[in-house]
Amino acid sequence: QKREISNFDYLMYLNTLAGRSYNDYMQYPVFPWVLADYHSETLNLTDPHTFRDLSKPMGAQTVERKHKFIQRFNEVEKSEGDLSAQCHYCTHYSSAIIVASYLVRMEPFTQTFCSLQGGSFDVADRMFHSVKSTWESASRDNMSDVRELTPEFFYLPEFLINANHFELGCMQDGTVLGDVQLPPWADGDPHKFIFLHRQALESDYVSAHLHRWIDLIFGHKQHGSAAVEAVNTYHPYFYGDKMDLNNIKDPLIKGTILGFISNFGQIPKQV
């Protein structure tokens, strides 16, 4: 409020308080998508329509998608601890595979991604190759994709470049994967993308609305009735601090829960 700290620094501080760390892929710092415009030739940071709705989770960015997730929630009988437990999302906005897929063009993330994929790169069409198509998938098109971003999207142009010349494969339309495809307003320049993306994060619009996203990820809309109302509930296993693993005697169930968390991600500790 006093403009004595940047939005970036504030988010990193909150991530640290919530137990997120660069040293843990499963609890990596999580940052929001802040833009919704990945098609314009120039980026207008004074137009509210340029920005993502920070008051809603990624699963509720479009009305149609929001209603589908609400329908999913209402159709499942509440059965705590069961794989079919009542929730809006059975996938997560941050996980080891999401982090590694974003940063796959840089080591050590390349090796991490391959080890998580069974020793090789994923099918080319599923690899992170375009900022625009990733936004469309996470905000609109893919019901199993509600991913947010990592801090690197706001300061590290190198992760967008295939400087190591990894053979990432060829998509069905014939496109050979190399550098990440950038929005038109970046003019094909990763440094310009990072510069403008960071400007967007520090813009007046984001500064005025960022607290709403923080409520969803770190605050009172993270779980409980407020989360249900906000279309922001995840599978019970994702709430690591709510699961008392010490009281689960069955090693098979315990192993299933730990595997679920390591594969799909964890909700940050509530700040």
Side-chain angles (χ1 to χ4, degrees):
Q1 286 181 326
K2 294 180 180 178
R3 296 181 182 253
E4 292 174 2
I5 186 173
S6 67
N7 289 336
F8 182 92
D9 288 337
Y10 185 49
L11 286 171
M12 282 305 299
Y13 179 68
L14 288 174
N15 269 285
T16 304
L17 278 181
R20 314 295 284 191
S21 166
Y22 281 121
N23 299 320
D24 186 348
Y25 292 153
M26 290 182 286
Q27 297 192 78
Y28 207 76
V30 56
F31 269 59
W33 287 95
V34 293
L35 293 172
D37 182 356
Y38 298 97
H39 54 269
S40 297
E41 293 295 328
T42 55
L43 195 61
N44 183 0
L45 296 180
T46 62
D47 182 359
H49 293 103
T50 299
F51 297 92
R52 165 256 181 105
D53 187 341
L54 287 159
S55 70
K56 296 183 175 70
M58 289 303 291
Q61 290 296 308
T62 69
V63 175
E64 183 185 2
R65 197 167 188 236
K66 175 183 172 182
H67 287 154
K68 284 182 182 176
F69 281 120
I70 292 172
Q71 185 180 359
R72 173 192 284 177
F73 181 89
N74 292 333
E75 282 174 355
V76 179
E77 289 294 323
K78 187 160 190 180
S79 49
E80 197 76 32
D82 187 349
L83 283 174
S84 61
Q86 189 175 39
C87 60
H88 294 109
Y89 314 114
C90 296
T91 53
H92 200 259
Y93 48 76
S94 177
S95 66
I97 194 67
I98 290 171
V99 171
S101 68
Y102 279 147
L103 306 176
V104 69
R105 289 164 178 78
M106 300 189 308
E107 291 289 13
F109 300 98
T110 313
Q111 291 304 314
T112 301
F113 182 83
C114 288
S115 65
L116 289 169
Q117 282 293 130
S120 61
F121 292 119
D122 198 358
V123 176
D125 286 82
R126 289 202 299 257
M127 296 280 286
F128 172 53
H129 66 277
S130 158
V131 179
K132 178 176 180 282
S133 65
T134 303
W135 159 255
E136 288 170 350
S137 171
S139 66
R140 186 187 73 199
D141 296 339
N142 187 344
M143 289 292 285
S144 62
D145 183 3
V146 292
R147 74 190 115 163
E148 295 278 7
L149 300 181
T150 62
E152 286 82 2
F153 276 82
F154 300 94
Y155 69 83
L156 190 70
E158 285 78 11
F159 89 95
L160 299 164
I161 305 164
N162 187 19
N164 292 315
H165 305 292
F166 293 120
E167 292 186 9
L168 302 172
C170 184
M171 295 172 65
Q172 286 185 345
D173 65 3
T175 304
V176 177
L177 261 58
D179 298 345
V180 175
Q181 294 171 12
L182 302 175
W185 45 259
D187 295 329
D189 182 350
H191 290 83
K192 185 173 182 179
F193 172 83
I194 295 293
F195 175 75
L196 291 173
H197 204 216
R198 183 62 174 267
Q199 272 199 323
L201 178 66
E202 306 299 341
S203 67
D204 288 341
Y205 180 90
V206 172
S207 296
H209 295 86
L210 188 58
H211 64 286
R212 297 184 181 277
W213 182 83
I214 290 167
D215 287 342
L216 295 168
I217 306 299
F218 303 107
H220 77 289
K221 292 184 180 178
Q222 193 189 70
H223 57 81
S225 59
V228 174
E229 196 176 323
V231 195
N232 192 43
T233 65
Y234 295 81
H235 193 282
Y237 290 172
F238 295 156
Y239 298 86
D241 56 343
K242 301 283 182 292
M243 299 291 300
D244 190 358
L245 291 172
N246 293 325
N247 284 336
I248 298 173
K249 303 302 180 198
D250 188 326
L252 190 62
I253 295 174
K254 196 170 185 175
T256 301
I257 294 172
L258 288 170
F260 205 85
I261 292 167
S262 66
N263 281 318
F264 294 104
Q266 275 179 279
I267 302 289
K269 289 177 185 172
Q270 193 173 28
V271 177

